[in-house]
PDB file of all heavy atoms in Angstrom:
ATOM      1  N   ARG A 216      31.485  10.939  -2.587  1.00 93.00           N
ATOM      2  CA  ARG A 216      30.334  11.537  -1.911  1.00 93.00           C
ATOM      3  C   ARG A 216      29.105  11.418  -2.796  1.00 93.00           C
ATOM      4  O   ARG A 216      29.132  11.806  -3.964  1.00 93.00           O
ATOM      5  CB  ARG A 216      30.604  13.013  -1.604  1.00 93.00           C
ATOM      6  CG  ARG A 216      29.456  13.715  -0.878  1.00 93.00           C
ATOM      7  CD  ARG A 216      29.804  15.154  -0.562  1.00 93.00           C
ATOM      8  NE  ARG A 216      28.824  15.754   0.325  1.00 93.00           N
ATOM      9  CZ  ARG A 216      28.871  17.011   0.766  1.00 93.00           C
ATOM     10  NH1 ARG A 216      29.888  17.797   0.384  1.00 93.00           N
ATOM     11  NH2 ARG A 216      27.940  17.480   1.576  1.00 93.00           N
ATOM     12  N   LEU A 217      28.049  10.853  -2.236  1.00 91.00           N
ATOM     13  CA  LEU A 217      26.775  10.739  -2.936  1.00 91.00           C
ATOM     14  C   LEU A 217      25.777  11.691  -2.299  1.00 91.00           C
ATOM     15  O   LEU A 217      25.509  11.616  -1.099  1.00 91.00           O
ATOM     16  CB  LEU A 217      26.239   9.310  -2.866  1.00 91.00           C
ATOM     17  CG  LEU A 217      24.816   9.106  -3.412  1.00 91.00           C
ATOM     18  CD1 LEU A 217      24.789   9.299  -4.923  1.00 91.00           C
ATOM     19  CD2 LEU A 217      24.274   7.734  -3.035  1.00 91.00           C
ATOM     20  N   GLU A 218      25.217  12.604  -3.104  1.00 93.00           N
ATOM     21  CA  GLU A 218      24.175  13.517  -2.651  1.00 93.00           C
ATOM     22  C   GLU A 218      22.961  13.343  -3.555  1.00 93.00           C
ATOM     23  O   GLU A 218      23.078  13.457  -4.780  1.00 93.00           O
ATOM     24  CB  GLU A 218      24.650  14.960  -2.702  1.00 93.00           C
ATOM     25  CG  GLU A 218      25.814  15.266  -1.770  1.00 93.00           C
ATOM     26  CD  GLU A 218      26.326  16.687  -1.933  1.00 93.00           C
ATOM     27  OE1 GLU A 218      27.058  16.936  -2.900  1.00 93.00           O
ATOM     28  OE2 GLU A 218      25.974  17.541  -1.105  1.00 93.00           O
ATOM     29  N   ALA A 219      21.812  13.052  -2.957  1.00 93.00           N
ATOM     30  CA  ALA A 219      20.609  12.802  -3.753  1.00 93.00           C
ATOM     31  C   ALA A 219      19.366  13.121  -2.933  1.00 93.00           C
ATOM     32  O   ALA A 219      19.409  13.160  -1.697  1.00 93.00           O
ATOM     33  CB  ALA A 219      20.572  11.346  -4.218  1.00 93.00           C
ATOM     34  N   ASP A 220      18.246  13.360  -3.630  1.00 94.00           N
ATOM     35  CA  ASP A 220      16.990  13.654  -2.934  1.00 94.00           C
ATOM     36  C   ASP A 220      15.797  13.296  -3.821  1.00 94.00           C
ATOM     37  O   ASP A 220      15.939  13.068  -5.022  1.00 94.00           O
ATOM     38  CB  ASP A 220      16.926  15.135  -2.533  1.00 94.00           C
ATOM     39  CG  ASP A 220      16.926  16.071  -3.740  1.00 94.00           C
ATOM     40  OD1 ASP A 220      15.882  16.212  -4.407  1.00 94.00           O
ATOM     41  OD2 ASP A 220      18.001  16.646  -4.028  1.00 94.00           O
ATOM     42  N   ASP A 221      14.630  13.267  -3.210  1.00 95.00           N
ATOM     43  CA  ASP A 221      13.381  13.034  -3.939  1.00 95.00           C
ATOM     44  C   ASP A 221      12.225  13.490  -3.064  1.00 95.00           C
ATOM     45  O   ASP A 221      12.342  13.608  -1.835  1.00 95.00           O
ATOM     46  CB  ASP A 221      13.211  11.556  -4.303  1.00 95.00           C
ATOM     47  CG  ASP A 221      12.022  11.315  -5.232  1.00 95.00           C
ATOM     48  OD1 ASP A 221      11.634  12.261  -5.952  1.00 95.00           O
ATOM     49  OD2 ASP A 221      11.480  10.199  -5.239  1.00 95.00           O
ATOM     50  N   THR A 222      11.090  13.753  -3.711  1.00 96.00           N
ATOM     51  CA  THR A 222       9.845  14.101  -3.026  1.00 96.00           C
ATOM     52  C   THR A 222       8.761  13.141  -3.475  1.00 96.00           C
ATOM     53  O   THR A 222       8.637  12.864  -4.668  1.00 96.00           O
ATOM     54  CB  THR A 222       9.424  15.550  -3.337  1.00 96.00           C
ATOM     55  OG1 THR A 222      10.489  16.434  -2.998  1.00 96.00           O
ATOM     56  CG2 THR A 222       8.178  15.942  -2.563  1.00 96.00           C
ATOM     57  N   ALA A 223       7.994  12.617  -2.527  1.00 96.00           N
ATOM     58  CA  ALA A 223       6.961  11.641  -2.852  1.00 96.00           C
ATOM     59  C   ALA A 223       5.782  11.807  -1.899  1.00 96.00           C
ATOM     60  O   ALA A 223       5.825  12.624  -0.968  1.00 96.00           O
ATOM     61  CB  ALA A 223       7.522  10.224  -2.791  1.00 96.00           C
ATOM     62  N   MET A 224       4.734  11.032  -2.162  1.00 97.00           N
ATOM     63  CA  MET A 224       3.505  11.128  -1.376  1.00 97.00           C
ATOM     64  C   MET A 224       3.133   9.785  -0.775  1.00 97.00           C
ATOM     65  O   MET A 224       3.422   8.727  -1.324  1.00 97.00           O
ATOM     66  CB  MET A 224       2.345  11.619  -2.251  1.00 97.00           C
ATOM     67  CG  MET A 224       2.465  13.055  -2.712  1.00 97.00           C
ATOM     68  SD  MET A 224       1.134  13.487  -3.879  1.00 97.00           S
ATOM     69  CE  MET A 224      -0.319  13.161  -2.874  1.00 97.00           C
ATOM     70  N   GLY A 225       2.467   9.837   0.365  1.00 96.00           N
ATOM     71  CA  GLY A 225       1.874   8.678   1.002  1.00 96.00           C
ATOM     72  C   GLY A 225       0.608   9.114   1.724  1.00 96.00           C
ATOM     73  O   GLY A 225       0.103  10.216   1.498  1.00 96.00           O
ATOM     74  N   PHE A 226       0.107   8.269   2.613  1.00 97.00           N
ATOM     75  CA  PHE A 226      -1.128   8.606   3.324  1.00 97.00           C
ATOM     76  C   PHE A 226      -1.097   8.004   4.723  1.00 97.00           C
ATOM     77  O   PHE A 226      -0.286   7.127   5.039  1.00 97.00           O
ATOM     78  CB  PHE A 226      -2.363   8.098   2.560  1.00 97.00           C
ATOM     79  CG  PHE A 226      -2.474   6.593   2.531  1.00 97.00           C
ATOM     80  CD1 PHE A 226      -3.182   5.909   3.514  1.00 97.00           C
ATOM     81  CD2 PHE A 226      -1.867   5.857   1.530  1.00 97.00           C
ATOM     82  CE1 PHE A 226      -3.285   4.533   3.500  1.00 97.00           C
ATOM     83  CE2 PHE A 226      -1.964   4.471   1.495  1.00 97.00           C
ATOM     84  CZ  PHE A 226      -2.668   3.802   2.494  1.00 97.00           C
ATOM     85  N   ASN A 227      -2.000   8.500   5.569  1.00 98.00           N
ATOM     86  CA  ASN A 227      -2.188   7.902   6.891  1.00 98.00           C
ATOM     87  C   ASN A 227      -3.668   7.938   7.243  1.00 98.00           C
ATOM     88  O   ASN A 227      -4.414   8.827   6.794  1.00 98.00           O
ATOM     89  CB  ASN A 227      -1.360   8.621   7.956  1.00 98.00           C
ATOM     90  CG  ASN A 227      -1.756  10.069   8.151  1.00 98.00           C
ATOM     91  OD1 ASN A 227      -1.727  10.870   7.209  1.00 98.00           O
ATOM     92  ND2 ASN A 227      -2.101  10.442   9.371  1.00 98.00           N
ATOM     93  N   VAL A 228      -4.123   6.959   8.002  1.00 98.00           N
ATOM     94  CA  VAL A 228      -5.512   6.864   8.449  1.00 98.00           C
ATOM     95  C   VAL A 228      -5.515   6.483   9.918  1.00 98.00           C
ATOM     96  O   VAL A 228      -4.551   5.911  10.439  1.00 98.00           O
ATOM     97  CB  VAL A 228      -6.312   5.826   7.635  1.00 98.00           C
ATOM     98  CG1 VAL A 228      -6.462   6.271   6.196  1.00 98.00           C
ATOM     99  CG2 VAL A 228      -5.660   4.450   7.706  1.00 98.00           C
ATOM    100  N   GLY A 229      -6.612   6.800  10.599  1.00 98.00           N
ATOM    101  CA  GLY A 229      -6.724   6.442  12.005  1.00 98.00           C
ATOM    102  C   GLY A 229      -8.161   6.445  12.467  1.00 98.00           C
ATOM    103  O   GLY A 229      -9.047   7.025  11.818  1.00 98.00           O
ATOM    104  N   LEU A 230      -8.401   5.763  13.568  1.00 98.00           N
ATOM    105  CA  LEU A 230      -9.713   5.790  14.203  1.00 98.00           C
ATOM    106  C   LEU A 230      -9.532   5.827  15.707  1.00 98.00           C
ATOM    107  O   LEU A 230      -8.531   5.362  16.253  1.00 98.00           O
ATOM    108  CB  LEU A 230     -10.582   4.610  13.776  1.00 98.00           C
ATOM    109  CG  LEU A 230     -10.198   3.193  14.203  1.00 98.00           C
ATOM    110  CD1 LEU A 230     -10.710   2.853  15.608  1.00 98.00           C
ATOM    111  CD2 LEU A 230     -10.761   2.187  13.219  1.00 98.00           C
ATOM    112  N   MET A 231     -10.511   6.405  16.380  1.00 98.00           N
ATOM    113  CA  MET A 231     -10.537   6.470  17.836  1.00 98.00           C
ATOM    114  C   MET A 231     -11.899   5.975  18.284  1.00 98.00           C
ATOM    115  O   MET A 231     -12.942   6.415  17.754  1.00 98.00           O
ATOM    116  CB  MET A 231     -10.314   7.908  18.302  1.00 98.00           C
ATOM    117  CG  MET A 231      -9.860   8.026  19.737  1.00 98.00           C
ATOM    118  SD  MET A 231      -8.063   7.887  19.908  1.00 98.00           S
ATOM    119  CE  MET A 231      -7.550   9.533  19.418  1.00 98.00           C
ATOM    120  N   TYR A 232     -11.927   5.040  19.240  1.00 98.00           N
ATOM    121  CA  TYR A 232     -13.200   4.499  19.723  1.00 98.00           C
ATOM    122  C   TYR A 232     -13.270   4.660  21.231  1.00 98.00           C
ATOM    123  O   TYR A 232     -12.387   4.194  21.959  1.00 98.00           O
ATOM    124  CB  TYR A 232     -13.349   3.029  19.345  1.00 98.00           C
ATOM    125  CG  TYR A 232     -14.744   2.509  19.604  1.00 98.00           C
ATOM    126  CD1 TYR A 232     -15.776   2.780  18.703  1.00 98.00           C
ATOM    127  CD2 TYR A 232     -15.032   1.778  20.749  1.00 98.00           C
ATOM    128  CE1 TYR A 232     -17.054   2.319  18.936  1.00 98.00           C
ATOM    129  CE2 TYR A 232     -16.316   1.316  21.000  1.00 98.00           C
ATOM    130  CZ  TYR A 232     -17.320   1.596  20.084  1.00 98.00           C
ATOM    131  OH  TYR A 232     -18.610   1.148  20.328  1.00 98.00           O
ATOM    132  N   GLN A 233     -14.337   5.331  21.698  1.00 97.00           N
ATOM    133  CA  GLN A 233     -14.556   5.561  23.115  1.00 97.00           C
ATOM    134  C   GLN A 233     -15.289   4.352  23.681  1.00 97.00           C
ATOM    135  O   GLN A 233     -16.514   4.238  23.603  1.00 97.00           O
ATOM    136  CB  GLN A 233     -15.364   6.846  23.321  1.00 97.00           C
ATOM    137  CG  GLN A 233     -15.321   7.370  24.739  1.00 97.00           C
ATOM    138  CD  GLN A 233     -13.972   7.981  25.091  1.00 97.00           C
ATOM    139  OE1 GLN A 233     -13.356   8.660  24.280  1.00 97.00           O
ATOM    140  NE2 GLN A 233     -13.512   7.756  26.320  1.00 97.00           N
ATOM    141  N   VAL A 234     -14.548   3.420  24.255  1.00 97.00           N
ATOM    142  CA  VAL A 234     -15.117   2.172  24.757  1.00 97.00           C
ATOM    143  C   VAL A 234     -16.035   2.427  25.945  1.00 97.00           C
ATOM    144  O   VAL A 234     -17.150   1.901  26.030  1.00 97.00           O
ATOM    145  CB  VAL A 234     -13.996   1.191  25.150  1.00 97.00           C
ATOM    146  CG1 VAL A 234     -14.577  -0.129  25.644  1.00 97.00           C
ATOM    147  CG2 VAL A 234     -13.067   0.957  23.963  1.00 97.00           C
TER     148      VAL A 234
END
Side-chain angles (χ1 to χ4, degrees):
R216 181 178 190 180
L217 172 68
E218 296 176 282
D220 63 77
D221 188 25
T222 304
M224 292 174 59
F226 68 91
N227 63 302
V228 294
L230 67 84
M231 200 86 79
Y232 190 79
Q233 196 73 39
V234 181

